[in-house]
Amino acid sequence: MSNINIEVKGYVEKVIDRMVEENYAKTKTEAVRLALFEFDQMHGLTDDELYAVAANKMLKEIAKGKEKIHKFG
């Protein structure tokens, strides 16, 4: 996995902060990952196989108790 440092200001900063405040994400990094994931799901930039691998990894983390989930509704 790549590590990058980005600086966000203005609108993007407010969206990321709000995602954390509203508990859509635990951290700003997670908020960025979630936004990128959703963008990919909307625009189909990656293969379904990559999505399946990521989803399986996340499910394993949840099952081990390493990743928490929030129910929205």
Side-chain angles (χ1 to χ4, degrees):
M1 179 182 291
S2 302
N3 287 325
I4 61 171
N5 293 318
I6 59 171
E7 183 177 339
V8 293
K9 293 183 179 184
Y11 172 78
V12 173
E13 179 181 28
K14 289 180 189 215
V15 171
I16 290 172
D17 288 343
R18 191 68 185 265
M19 289 175 74
V20 174
E21 289 169 12
E22 297 290 326
N23 293 316
Y24 288 107
K26 291 184 284 186
T27 65
K28 291 179 180 184
T29 299
E30 185 178 63
V32 171
R33 287 184 187 135
L34 179 61
L36 289 170
F37 176 79
E38 186 169 335
F39 183 86
D40 178 47
Q41 292 302 296
M42 290 174 58
H43 299 284
L45 300 175
T46 59
D47 297 332
D48 287 341
E49 183 178 321
L50 292 175
Y51 170 74
V53 169
N56 284 330
K57 181 179 176 186
M58 186 178 295
L59 290 173
K60 287 178 185 176
E61 296 293 312
I62 291 169
K64 291 178 184 177
K66 293 183 178 181
E67 188 69 41
K68 303 283 187 214
I69 59 172
H70 298 281
K71 292 184 180 180
F72 298 98

